[in-house]
Amino acid sequence: MSFSIATWNINSVRLRAGLVEDFLTAHQPDILCLQEIKCMNDQFPAKNFKKLGYEHQAVHGQKGYHGVAIISKRPLIGNFSTDYVSMGDTRHIAADFELAGKPTRIHNFYVPAGGDEPDIIKNPKFDHKLKFIDEMKVLGAMDDDVPAILVGDLNIAPYEQDVWSHKQMLKVVSHTPVETEGLLDVMKKGAWTDLMRQHIPMEEKLYTWWSYRSKDWAASNRGRRLDHVWSADELAKQLNAIEVVTEARSWEKPSDHVPVIARFDLV
DNA sequence: ATGACGGATCTAATCCGA
């Protein structure tokens, strides 16, 4: 069976429900994981997505900040959230599905941005980010013997070609060695495969985020790959394609992140 | 070195993002 999953940091789902509808209609992913919905559960535009066939939804929101959601055309067996670093933030939600007759777990993350200065003493937000990454190291791609897919805004661009200038970004939060090494350690310890880099050569520049603070994001093209799709090996072997929907950055009133879609042929 | 933009909030000025 064909199966597809998308991830998108929407930067306010109420403001951009229309863009989400356009995206779902055009690309038809089976599952969409959203981050930074910036609303409470009862404010989530559930009906807008249900009418397009995304009847199964798991929402973990809070007022004004953060918030994650999973919307799906396929039945959701169960869902749970984990409060990483015990801050009470809504930065994770997981849901279980049956795909091609097998149980499959989806994790949706919104990792803290980490503030401006990469110094855990001067900047508590950076300390929070590193602790969050540390706690992710116990999450495995085959926990409970269920193969998993992990997606989301991880707010770290791990490789040299994941940023517009490796040299100029080494001291910028999202590409400092302590972060990139930490994220690669999460991947290694959990036996996760980076599906975007499995599909797109490591030498190729690859971005999913461009700052709002640029007059012409496409001309300057100072992007970063902050959004990720990982999976257990047995799912990685069945990956067909990765699509980065770059044109979404040019839509009217866009998010600063663009959607990423992974398409599989599951047996 | 700074600021550029954009969103949410006790709708005005402040915090936050990365």
Side-chain angles (χ1 to χ4, degrees), chain A residues 18-31:
Chain A
L19 291 188
V20 175
E21 290 176 50
D22 293 345
F23 168 74
L24 293 173
T25 302
H27 295 273
Q28 295 289 325
D30 292 295
I31 297 173

Side-chain angles (χ1 to χ4, degrees), chain A residues 169-190:
Chain A
M169 288 288 299
L170 277 169
K171 290 180 179 172
V172 176
V173 173
S174 72
H175 194 63
T176 65
V178 64
E179 294 170 87
T180 59
E181 286 161 18
L183 193 69
L184 294 179
D185 207 28
V186 173
M187 217 186 293
K188 190 178 171 186
K189 283 198 164 76

Side-chain angles (χ1 to χ4, degrees), chain A residues 6 16 48 67 77 102 105 174 196 203 257:
Chain A
R16 284 184 246 285
N48 300 50
I77 295 161
K102 293 172 187 164
R105 182 163 294 162
S174 72
M196 294 176 72
E203 299 74 35
H257 295 253

Side-chain angles (χ1 to χ4, degrees), chain A residues 1-158:
Chain A
M1 71 169 251
S2 70
F3 167 72
S4 55
I5 180 167
T7 179
W8 195 6
N9 178 320
I10 195 62
N11 187 18
S12 174
V13 73
R14 287 177 293 171
L15 197 65
R16 284 184 246 285
L19 291 188
V20 175
E21 290 176 50
D22 293 345
F23 168 74
L24 293 173
T25 302
H27 295 273
Q28 295 289 325
D30 292 295
I31 297 173
L32 171 63
C33 294
L34 294 165
Q35 305 88 35
E36 281 206 89
I37 61 173
K38 291 186 173 176
C39 66
M40 294 184 287
N41 289 359
D42 61 3
Q43 299 173 312
F44 186 76
K47 285 180 193 163
N48 300 50
F49 310 141
K50 279 184 181 164
K51 77 180 182 213
L52 297 177
Y54 295 82
E55 291 172 34
H56 311 279
Q57 309 185 348
V59 183
H60 188 39
Q62 72 183 72
K63 190 177 179 178
Y65 298 104
H66 323 311
V68 286
I70 299 174
I71 64 173
S72 171
K73 291 183 183 184
R74 298 175 181 280
L76 224 134
I77 295 161
N79 71 87
F80 64 94
S81 299
T82 307
D83 184 10
Y84 284 79
V85 203
S86 305
M87 299 272 288
D89 290 349
T90 54
R91 296 178 177 275
H92 169 261
I93 189 164
D96 288 318
F97 294 87
E98 191 171 279
L99 302 175
K102 293 172 187 164
T104 310
R105 182 163 294 162
I106 309 292
H107 290 281
N108 179 16
F109 277 96
Y110 173 51
V111 171
D116 281 321
E117 209 167 347
D119 183 319
I120 60 167
I121 310 290
K122 292 185 199 161
N123 174 14
K125 289 179 190 172
F126 194 66
D127 186 53
H128 175 217
K129 184 180 195 177
L130 297 187
K131 286 187 169 126
F132 195 103
I133 291 295
D134 236 26
E135 287 188 16
M136 286 176 74
K137 289 175 187 175
V138 299
L139 184 67
M142 286 299 299
D143 284 354
D144 304 324
D145 286 323
V146 175
I149 299 173
L150 184 160
V151 305
D153 176 5
L154 305 184
N155 267 318
I156 297 173

